[in-house]
Amino acid sequence: MTETPTAAGGTTSSGTPAIDRFTCVIPAGGVGSRLWPLSRAKAPKFLLDLTGSGDSLLRATWNRLAPIAPPERIMVVTGNAHRDSVVEQLPGLLPDNLVTESEPKDSSAAIGLAAALLELRDPDAILGSFAADHVIRGSVLFQRAVRTAVLAADRGYIATIGIHPGHPATGFGYIKCGSARGDLAAFDVYDVEEFVEKPDEATARDYLARGGYLWNAGMFIARASVLLDQMALTEPELVAALREIAEAWSSPKRAAVARERLWPNLKKIAIDYSVAEPAAAAGKMVCVAAHFEWDDVGDFASIADLLTRGRKGDLAVLGDGAQVLSDASSGIVVSESDRLVALVGMQDVVVVDTPDVLLVTSKQHAQDVKGLVTRMKVSGGGHLL
Amino acid sequence: MTETPTAAGGTTSSGTPAIDRFTCVIPAGGVGSRLWPLSRAKAPKFLLDLTGSGDSLLRATWNRLAPIAPPERIMVVTGNAHRDSVVEQLPGLLPDNLVTESEPKDSSAAIGLAAALLELRDPDAILGSFAADHVIRGSVLFQRAVRTAVLAADRGYIATIGIHPGHPATGFGYIKCGSARGDLAAFDVYDVEEFVEKPDEATARDYLARGGYLWNAGMFIARASVLLDQMALTEPELVAALREIAEAWSSPKRAAVARERLWPNLKKIAIDYSVAEPAAAAGKMVCVAAHFEWDDVGDFASIADLLTRGRKGDLAVLGDGAQVLSDASSGIVVSESDRLVALVGMQDVVVVDTPDVLLVTSKQHAQDVKGLVTRMKVSGGGHLL
């Protein structure tokens, strides 16, 4: 698995250094159903402060990328409904770098459109996609990993960043690494042998014991053209449409071409399936192994662990005015009021106190919140979602 | 234990039938700490509707007694702070029958003062004491038991009403019954051998298996003078003070005598210790065994059981505008808002949603709420109590 990729491997870069052709793309979509009722359609996960830092996850993502790319090379792709919130939270975002979708079409369309737009700006553009709703601690380690990935991307590879697993997580997918790629970087770059789905506990333990498995953080760094060409191998119609939309984007035809004719009919498919897995199978995917702390904050149990940094014996509390009286040594209280929240004899409880909805569940059942939200969509509680 | 009581056994009644000399006394005190934050100092348990009937427990108590005694013979003893609420909830209560305490002095003082006042109105007065904050279902059975107790009381006994236990409760005291007293009533009247404290589970099961044990509902029916004379055997100073307060009650000296000089110094002691236990030991106590449903609604677990009538598989919900979405088959939600309360994966949970406090606990820990309240008194959360 050490052959060079067929697409653009070994291409000579243009005169501009790779890092100066690098644009960060932040797909800001997804409500985060498992974080309801904190997350809502109008207040999706990426607009929330889930760490108590004072910044939303989106804003924290921007801040993390700012040392790597100037504002003219940070792009956000989001839904029309969230345009105003995004602009408010990111005053540095340039209007041309705010790409809005008329309706959500999954990550291949979102990132693919950004790639098609960047490809038009510069045929040698490199892009990196970084979710707006993940939490990362250790920004220097993050920057170093991204810079390494950019160099591999410039060489024609599709790079991802894998996280050294801190524990046998069953909530994340894993990357199985192959040979070290000393030809791309002195350290930390490996072939991706395959992406593996979220494992069960025993399998996860096995991965950690065997080594060579990293958490898949869903970050992809590639030349825009390489990414699109790879996608076109499995999704040619999607890529053709995206490139047509990009052509029309800065012209008066945008509305007619993009919004009305093409966008509504785009195939919904995750970029993992349209790009990452086929590229890995074809030997075009490399992985930068990184040591920063990362979490996708998928549910309230994740937030609890993040806030207590995994310490046992602590109840996590999130919320400015939160007043909590508790004998609990685990669990989380999320408070959007200044009410007193009193817990008696509850371990691992999750209490989310919002003005119109109160959720009570447990860390063990934190994932099941999504099912409740799904049922509410059907049963008519939609106004609370 | 079948000897007649020494005090007034075998006395001939005055010309008026016993039931027409019978006054119901409702001691309305006690916050009900284990029902915090639903119960508060300003909204004690007896002023709350804990059954969803629309009536407070106090009002329900009044309604239950109304078929037994006319308004001129229903008396309420309560704290000054609750005077207005009591008057509002009981429009039929006569001003002379509202006895207010300047500070709480436990049940011997509360019931003893009522007895002393009634003794002055009529030396042959009979009183029955019925807590303002219990729940009873089966009012015809209740009336029958009270009428039987009144006849025994007229004969000079101190009568109590014991409840046939529906399950081996560990939260109630028990009455150990002795011989049937066919001389007092054809059915259901027994000597009280002794009062026994709240048992553990095994002991409670043993009581039910052996038979002859009834729940102690804390109801006492006796001639006013018999009750006071019995109390005077162990608490002579208390009874002397109460009789002095009663003498001054309707005179301009009330404030000076009662409020300022005597009341603040009264001994705090439960009537169980000043009257019931010594009387039982002396063979002066009889018990009417009754089959109505009774609960002292001591905590949220009791309310849950009351509302679901002990059915398994039901979440109990208390609150007018309560909206609950739940997969729970046990536990209770008490809602004082119209917020949606969503429960995911929680069994036996207790959620009490009030405007300024949210309590989350479990049925198993429902008793521990009292400990939290005690700690809050010390730690400065008193304004929420």
Side-chain angles (χ1 to χ4, degrees):
Chain A
M1 299 276 275
T2 55
E3 77 272 29
T4 49
T6 52
T11 50
T12 313
S13 68
S14 62
T16 315
I19 195 68
D20 295 335
R21 284 178 279 117
F22 175 62
T23 295
C24 300
V25 175
I26 307 174
V31 169
S33 303
R34 282 164 299 186
L35 296 177
W36 180 87
L38 192 59
S39 67
R40 307 282 179 113
K42 289 188 178 171
K45 182 184 162 195
F46 61 86
L47 293 176
L48 305 176
D49 169 14
L50 298 181
T51 65
S53 68
D55 283 331
S56 70
L57 296 184
L58 173 65
R59 174 80 199 166
T61 302
W62 175 279
N63 291 345
R64 187 185 309 128
L65 295 170
I68 306 173
E72 54 269 27
R73 288 194 276 106
I74 303 181
M75 181 178 270
V76 174
V77 186
T78 195
N80 268 334
H82 304 306
R83 162 189 280 273
D84 293 347
S85 303
V86 167
V87 167
E88 190 184 329
Q89 294 205 356
L90 305 180
L93 179 63
L94 302 184
D96 277 355
N97 284 347
L98 174 57
V99 177
T100 56
E101 304 169 304
S102 49
E103 56 181 296
K105 286 289 181 181
D106 216 327
S107 52
S108 296
I111 299 167
L113 175 58
L117 291 168
L118 291 172
E119 185 184 46
L120 287 179
R121 292 186 191 175
D122 173 5
D124 287 320
I126 299 167
L127 72 81
S129 159
F130 305 97
D133 57 3
H134 293 178
V135 168
I136 285 172
R137 289 198 179 106
S139 57
V140 172
L141 294 171
F142 171 76
Q143 291 167 32
R144 189 185 300 165
V146 172
R147 288 171 195 279
T148 302
V150 168
L151 293 176
D154 193 40
R155 297 275 294 276
Y157 291 90
I158 300 175
T160 187
I161 296 176
I163 318 295
H164 281 284
H167 61 277
T170 57
F172 307 142
Y174 284 71
I175 300 164
K176 186 181 181 193
C177 296
S179 308
R181 290 297 299 266
D183 58 318
L184 294 174
F187 305 102
D188 295 336
V189 180
Y190 301 87
D191 280 319
V192 172
E193 257 181 44
E194 59 172 333
F195 292 93
V196 290
E197 300 283 336
K198 296 175 185 177
D200 60 23
E201 173 99 18
T203 307
R205 290 189 182 283
D206 184 52
Y207 288 168
L208 265 68
R210 283 200 274 161
Y213 286 82
L214 302 173
W215 287 337
N216 176 9
M219 301 173 188
F220 299 106
I221 300 96
R223 282 173 175 260
S225 58
V226 167
L227 186 95
L228 287 169
D229 291 347
Q230 177 65 46
M231 196 185 290
L233 295 177
T234 52
E235 302 294 340
E237 290 178 20
L238 175 60
V239 173
L242 291 170
R243 281 179 160 146
E244 191 179 341
I245 293 169
E247 292 281 355
W249 197 257
S250 303
S251 83
K253 291 187 296 181
R254 187 204 291 193
V257 172
R259 295 277 180 252
E260 288 154 36
R261 182 161 62 83
L262 295 174
W263 193 266
N265 300 309
L266 292 186
K267 181 171 175 180
K268 286 185 175 183
I269 181 172
I271 198 164
D272 308 75
Y273 306 126
S274 69
V275 172
E277 292 186 358
K284 293 185 250 176
M285 194 93 208
V286 296
C287 176
V288 179
H291 275 281
F292 54 81
E293 287 180 54
W294 167 87
D295 200 297
D296 71 354
V297 216
D299 59 27
F300 288 112
S302 305
I303 300 181
D305 291 341
L306 264 177
L307 291 177
T308 59
R309 291 179 160 256
R311 280 190 309 269
K312 302 287 180 193
D314 277 11
L315 176 78
V317 176
L318 183 64
D320 270 353
Q323 292 189 70
V324 177
L325 211 57
S326 160
D327 56 5
S329 58
S330 59
I332 179 167
V333 171
V334 180
S335 168
E336 294 200 319
S337 74
D338 53 4
R339 299 202 302 171
L340 176 68
V341 178
L343 305 182
V344 177
M346 303 302 291
Q347 296 299 338
D348 281 338
V349 74
V350 173
V351 175
V352 185
D353 181 27
T354 78
D356 54 353
V357 179
L358 167 66
L359 170 73
V360 180
T361 183
S362 63
K363 285 180 70 176
Q364 291 77 5
H365 286 88
Q367 292 274 325
D368 302 341
V369 172
K370 186 170 186 167
L372 176 72
V373 167
T374 305
R375 289 194 299 282
M376 284 179 69
K377 279 179 189 158
V378 178
S379 66
H383 62 290
L384 293 171
L385 297 178
Chain B
M1 299 275 275
T2 54
E3 76 272 30
T4 49
T6 52
T11 51
T12 313
S13 68
S14 63
T16 315
I19 195 69
D20 294 335
R21 283 177 281 117
F22 176 63
T23 295
C24 300
V25 175
I26 307 174
V31 169
S33 302
R34 283 165 296 187
L35 295 176
W36 181 87
L38 191 60
S39 67
R40 308 281 179 113
K42 289 189 178 171
K45 182 183 162 195
F46 63 85
L47 293 176
L48 305 177
D49 170 14
L50 298 182
T51 64
S53 68
D55 284 331
S56 71
L57 296 184
L58 173 65
R59 174 78 200 168
T61 302
W62 174 280
N63 291 345
R64 187 185 309 127
L65 295 170
I68 305 174
E72 54 268 29
R73 288 193 277 106
I74 304 181
M75 181 178 270
V76 174
V77 186
T78 195
N80 268 335
H82 304 306
R83 162 189 278 274
D84 293 347
S85 303
V86 167
V87 167
E88 190 183 329
Q89 293 205 358
L90 304 180
L93 179 64
L94 301 184
D96 277 354
N97 284 348
L98 174 56
V99 177
T100 56
E101 305 170 303
S102 48
E103 56 181 295
K105 286 290 181 183
D106 216 327
S107 52
S108 296
I111 300 168
L113 175 58
L117 290 168
L118 291 173
E119 186 185 44
L120 287 179
R121 291 187 191 174
D122 174 3
D124 286 321
I126 298 167
L127 72 82
S129 159
F130 306 97
D133 57 2
H134 293 177
V135 167
I136 284 172
R137 290 199 179 105
S139 57
V140 172
L141 294 172
F142 172 75
Q143 290 166 33
R144 189 183 302 165
V146 173
R147 288 172 194 277
T148 302
V150 167
L151 294 176
D154 194 39
R155 297 275 294 275
Y157 291 89
I158 300 175
T160 186
I161 296 176
I163 317 295
H164 281 283
H167 62 275
T170 57
F172 307 141
Y174 285 70
I175 300 166
K176 185 182 181 191
C177 295
S179 307
R181 289 298 298 266
D183 59 317
L184 294 174
F187 305 102
D188 296 336
V189 180
Y190 301 87
D191 280 320
V192 171
E193 255 181 44
E194 59 172 334
F195 292 93
V196 290
E197 300 282 336
K198 297 175 185 178
D200 60 22
E201 172 98 17
T203 308
R205 290 190 181 283
D206 184 50
Y207 288 169
L208 265 67
R210 284 200 274 161
Y213 285 83
L214 302 173
W215 287 339
N216 177 8
M219 301 173 186
F220 299 108
I221 300 96
R223 282 172 175 261
S225 58
V226 168
L227 186 94
L228 288 169
D229 291 347
Q230 176 66 46
M231 196 184 292
L233 296 178
T234 51
E235 301 295 341
E237 290 178 20
L238 174 60
V239 173
L242 291 171
R243 281 180 160 145
E244 190 178 344
I245 293 170
E247 291 280 356
W249 198 257
S250 302
S251 83
K253 291 187 295 180
R254 188 203 292 192
V257 173
R259 295 278 181 251
E260 288 154 35
R261 183 163 61 84
L262 296 174
W263 193 265
N265 301 311
L266 292 186
K267 180 171 177 181
K268 285 185 176 183
I269 180 172
I271 197 163
D272 308 75
Y273 306 127
S274 68
V275 173
E277 292 186 0
K284 294 185 247 173
M285 194 94 207
V286 295
C287 177
V288 180
H291 275 280
F292 54 81
E293 287 180 54
W294 167 87
D295 200 297
D296 70 354
V297 216
D299 60 27
F300 288 111
S302 304
I303 300 182
D305 291 342
L306 263 177
L307 292 177
T308 59
R309 292 179 160 256
R311 280 189 309 270
K312 303 288 181 192
D314 276 11
L315 177 78
V317 176
L318 183 65
D320 270 352
Q323 292 187 70
V324 178
L325 212 58
S326 160
D327 56 4
S329 57
S330 59
I332 179 168
V333 171
V334 180
S335 167
E336 294 200 319
S337 75
D338 52 4
R339 300 202 301 171
L340 177 69
V341 178
L343 306 181
V344 177
M346 302 303 289
Q347 295 299 339
D348 281 337
V349 74
V350 173
V351 175
V352 185
D353 182 27
T354 79
D356 55 353
V357 179
L358 167 67
L359 170 73
V360 180
T361 184
S362 63
K363 285 180 70 176
Q364 291 78 4
H365 287 87
Q367 292 273 326
D368 302 341
V369 173
K370 185 170 188 166
L372 175 72
V373 168
T374 305
R375 288 194 300 281
M376 284 179 69
K377 278 179 189 158
V378 178
S379 66
H383 62 290
L384 293 171
L385 297 178

Short mmCIF file of all heavy atoms in Angstrom, two decimals, chain B residues 142-170:
data_model
loop_
_atom_site.label_atom_id
_atom_site.label_comp_id
_atom_site.label_asym_id
_atom_site.label_seq_id
_atom_site.Cartn_x
_atom_site.Cartn_y
_atom_site.Cartn_z
N PHE B 142 -64.64 5.31 56.91
CA PHE B 142 -64.02 6.24 57.86
C PHE B 142 -65.05 6.75 58.87
O PHE B 142 -64.82 6.72 60.08
CB PHE B 142 -63.39 7.41 57.09
CG PHE B 142 -62.89 8.52 57.96
CD1 PHE B 142 -61.71 8.39 58.69
CD2 PHE B 142 -63.60 9.72 58.06
CE1 PHE B 142 -61.26 9.42 59.51
CE2 PHE B 142 -63.16 10.75 58.87
CZ PHE B 142 -61.98 10.60 59.60
N GLN B 143 -66.20 7.18 58.38
CA GLN B 143 -67.25 7.70 59.27
C GLN B 143 -67.68 6.65 60.29
O GLN B 143 -67.86 6.94 61.48
CB GLN B 143 -68.47 8.14 58.46
CG GLN B 143 -68.25 9.37 57.61
CD GLN B 143 -69.36 9.56 56.58
OE1 GLN B 143 -70.51 9.22 56.84
NE2 GLN B 143 -69.00 10.10 55.43
N ARG B 144 -67.84 5.42 59.80
CA ARG B 144 -68.28 4.35 60.69
C ARG B 144 -67.25 4.14 61.80
O ARG B 144 -67.61 3.99 62.97
CB ARG B 144 -68.48 3.06 59.88
CG ARG B 144 -69.14 1.96 60.68
CD ARG B 144 -69.23 0.68 59.86
NE ARG B 144 -69.99 0.89 58.63
CZ ARG B 144 -69.99 0.03 57.60
NH1 ARG B 144 -69.22 -1.07 57.64
NH2 ARG B 144 -70.72 0.26 56.54
N ALA B 145 -65.97 4.14 61.44
CA ALA B 145 -64.92 3.94 62.43
C ALA B 145 -64.91 5.08 63.45
O ALA B 145 -64.78 4.86 64.66
CB ALA B 145 -63.56 3.82 61.73
N VAL B 146 -65.09 6.31 62.97
CA VAL B 146 -65.08 7.45 63.89
C VAL B 146 -66.26 7.36 64.86
O VAL B 146 -66.12 7.57 66.07
CB VAL B 146 -65.10 8.79 63.12
CG1 VAL B 146 -65.26 9.96 64.09
CG2 VAL B 146 -63.83 8.95 62.29
N ARG B 147 -67.42 7.01 64.33
CA ARG B 147 -68.61 6.94 65.19
C ARG B 147 -68.43 5.86 66.27
O ARG B 147 -68.81 6.06 67.43
CB ARG B 147 -69.86 6.65 64.35
CG ARG B 147 -70.28 7.85 63.52
CD ARG B 147 -71.40 7.49 62.53
NE ARG B 147 -71.56 8.56 61.55
CZ ARG B 147 -72.27 9.67 61.75
NH1 ARG B 147 -72.89 9.85 62.91
NH2 ARG B 147 -72.35 10.59 60.82
N THR B 148 -67.82 4.76 65.88
CA THR B 148 -67.55 3.72 66.87
C THR B 148 -66.57 4.23 67.93
O THR B 148 -66.75 4.00 69.13
CB THR B 148 -66.96 2.47 66.16
OG1 THR B 148 -67.89 2.03 65.18
CG2 THR B 148 -66.71 1.35 67.16
N ALA B 149 -65.55 4.94 67.46
CA ALA B 149 -64.54 5.46 68.38
C ALA B 149 -65.16 6.48 69.34
O ALA B 149 -64.80 6.54 70.53
CB ALA B 149 -63.39 6.10 67.60
N VAL B 150 -66.10 7.27 68.84
CA VAL B 150 -66.75 8.29 69.68
C VAL B 150 -67.50 7.61 70.83
O VAL B 150 -67.47 8.08 71.98
CB VAL B 150 -67.68 9.18 68.84
CG1 VAL B 150 -68.58 10.03 69.74
CG2 VAL B 150 -66.86 10.06 67.90
N LEU B 151 -68.15 6.51 70.55
CA LEU B 151 -68.89 5.80 71.60
C LEU B 151 -67.94 5.27 72.66
O LEU B 151 -68.22 5.37 73.86
CB LEU B 151 -69.72 4.66 70.99
CG LEU B 151 -70.86 5.12 70.07
CD1 LEU B 151 -71.57 3.93 69.43
CD2 LEU B 151 -71.86 5.99 70.85
N ALA B 152 -66.80 4.71 72.20
CA ALA B 152 -65.81 4.22 73.17
C ALA B 152 -65.24 5.39 73.99
O ALA B 152 -65.03 5.27 75.20
CB ALA B 152 -64.69 3.48 72.44
N ALA B 153 -65.02 6.53 73.30
CA ALA B 153 -64.49 7.70 74.00
C ALA B 153 -65.47 8.19 75.06
O ALA B 153 -65.07 8.59 76.17
CB ALA B 153 -64.21 8.81 72.98
N ASP B 154 -66.74 8.14 74.73
CA ASP B 154 -67.74 8.60 75.69
C ASP B 154 -67.72 7.75 76.96
O ASP B 154 -68.06 8.22 78.05
CB ASP B 154 -69.13 8.57 75.04
CG ASP B 154 -70.15 9.34 75.87
OD1 ASP B 154 -69.78 10.42 76.40
OD2 ASP B 154 -71.30 8.89 76.00
N ARG B 155 -67.29 6.51 76.79
CA ARG B 155 -67.21 5.61 77.93
C ARG B 155 -65.93 5.83 78.74
O ARG B 155 -65.64 5.09 79.67
CB ARG B 155 -67.27 4.15 77.45
CG ARG B 155 -68.58 3.79 76.74
CD ARG B 155 -69.66 3.38 77.73
NE ARG B 155 -69.31 2.14 78.40
CZ ARG B 155 -69.54 0.91 77.91
NH1 ARG B 155 -70.19 0.77 76.75
NH2 ARG B 155 -69.18 -0.17 78.57
N GLY B 156 -65.13 6.81 78.31
CA GLY B 156 -63.96 7.15 79.10
C GLY B 156 -62.64 6.61 78.58
O GLY B 156 -61.58 6.85 79.15
N TYR B 157 -62.72 5.93 77.47
CA TYR B 157 -61.49 5.42 76.88
C TYR B 157 -60.86 6.46 75.94
O TYR B 157 -61.55 7.36 75.45
CB TYR B 157 -61.76 4.13 76.08
CG TYR B 157 -62.13 2.98 76.97
CD1 TYR B 157 -63.47 2.74 77.30
CD2 TYR B 157 -61.14 2.14 77.50
CE1 TYR B 157 -63.81 1.69 78.14
CE2 TYR B 157 -61.48 1.10 78.33
CZ TYR B 157 -62.81 0.88 78.65
OH TYR B 157 -63.14 -0.15 79.49
N ILE B 158 -59.58 6.27 75.70
CA ILE B 158 -58.95 7.01 74.61
C ILE B 158 -58.91 6.04 73.44
O ILE B 158 -58.33 4.95 73.55
CB ILE B 158 -57.55 7.48 74.99
CG1 ILE B 158 -57.65 8.42 76.22
CG2 ILE B 158 -56.88 8.19 73.82
CD1 ILE B 158 -56.31 8.86 76.77
N ALA B 159 -59.59 6.41 72.38
CA ALA B 159 -59.70 5.51 71.24
C ALA B 159 -58.78 5.98 70.11
O ALA B 159 -58.56 7.19 69.93
CB ALA B 159 -61.15 5.46 70.75
N THR B 160 -58.26 5.03 69.39
CA THR B 160 -57.54 5.36 68.17
C THR B 160 -58.15 4.55 67.05
O THR B 160 -58.95 3.63 67.29
CB THR B 160 -56.03 5.11 68.31
OG1 THR B 160 -55.36 5.59 67.14
CG2 THR B 160 -55.72 3.63 68.48
N ILE B 161 -57.83 4.90 65.83
CA ILE B 161 -58.32 4.14 64.68
C ILE B 161 -57.11 3.51 64.01
O ILE B 161 -56.17 4.22 63.64
CB ILE B 161 -59.12 5.04 63.71
CG1 ILE B 161 -60.37 5.57 64.43
CG2 ILE B 161 -59.49 4.27 62.45
CD1 ILE B 161 -61.19 6.55 63.61
N GLY B 162 -57.11 2.21 63.91
CA GLY B 162 -56.00 1.50 63.27
C GLY B 162 -56.44 1.00 61.91
O GLY B 162 -57.59 0.62 61.72
N ILE B 163 -55.50 1.02 60.98
CA ILE B 163 -55.84 0.67 59.60
C ILE B 163 -55.34 -0.74 59.30
O ILE B 163 -54.16 -1.05 59.53
CB ILE B 163 -55.17 1.64 58.60
CG1 ILE B 163 -55.28 3.09 59.10
CG2 ILE B 163 -55.75 1.46 57.22
CD1 ILE B 163 -56.67 3.63 59.18
N HIS B 164 -56.23 -1.58 58.77
CA HIS B 164 -55.79 -2.91 58.34
C HIS B 164 -54.69 -2.73 57.30
O HIS B 164 -54.92 -2.10 56.26
CB HIS B 164 -56.96 -3.70 57.75
CG HIS B 164 -57.84 -4.30 58.80
ND1 HIS B 164 -57.49 -5.44 59.50
CD2 HIS B 164 -59.05 -3.92 59.27
CE1 HIS B 164 -58.45 -5.73 60.36
NE2 HIS B 164 -59.41 -4.82 60.26
N PRO B 165 -53.51 -3.28 57.54
CA PRO B 165 -52.37 -3.00 56.66
C PRO B 165 -52.52 -3.70 55.30
O PRO B 165 -52.77 -4.90 55.25
CB PRO B 165 -51.17 -3.54 57.43
CG PRO B 165 -51.72 -4.47 58.44
CD PRO B 165 -53.14 -4.09 58.71
N GLY B 166 -52.36 -2.94 54.25
CA GLY B 166 -52.47 -3.50 52.91
C GLY B 166 -51.17 -4.14 52.43
O GLY B 166 -51.17 -4.94 51.51
N HIS B 167 -50.09 -3.76 53.06
CA HIS B 167 -48.79 -4.31 52.69
C HIS B 167 -47.84 -4.09 53.87
O HIS B 167 -48.14 -3.28 54.76
CB HIS B 167 -48.26 -3.64 51.41
CG HIS B 167 -48.04 -2.17 51.55
ND1 HIS B 167 -49.04 -1.23 51.38
CD2 HIS B 167 -46.94 -1.47 51.90
CE1 HIS B 167 -48.55 -0.02 51.60
NE2 HIS B 167 -47.28 -0.14 51.91
N PRO B 168 -46.72 -4.78 53.88
CA PRO B 168 -45.81 -4.66 55.04
C PRO B 168 -45.03 -3.36 55.02
O PRO B 168 -43.82 -3.34 54.82
CB PRO B 168 -44.89 -5.88 54.89
CG PRO B 168 -44.92 -6.21 53.45
CD PRO B 168 -46.28 -5.83 52.94
N ALA B 169 -45.74 -2.26 55.23
CA ALA B 169 -45.12 -0.94 55.19
C ALA B 169 -44.07 -0.78 56.28
O ALA B 169 -44.28 -1.23 57.41
CB ALA B 169 -46.20 0.13 55.36
N THR B 170 -42.98 -0.15 55.93
CA THR B 170 -41.93 0.13 56.91
C THR B 170 -41.93 1.61 57.30
O THR B 170 -41.15 2.02 58.15
CB THR B 170 -40.55 -0.23 56.34
OG1 THR B 170 -40.35 0.51 55.13
CG2 THR B 170 -40.45 -1.72 56.04
#
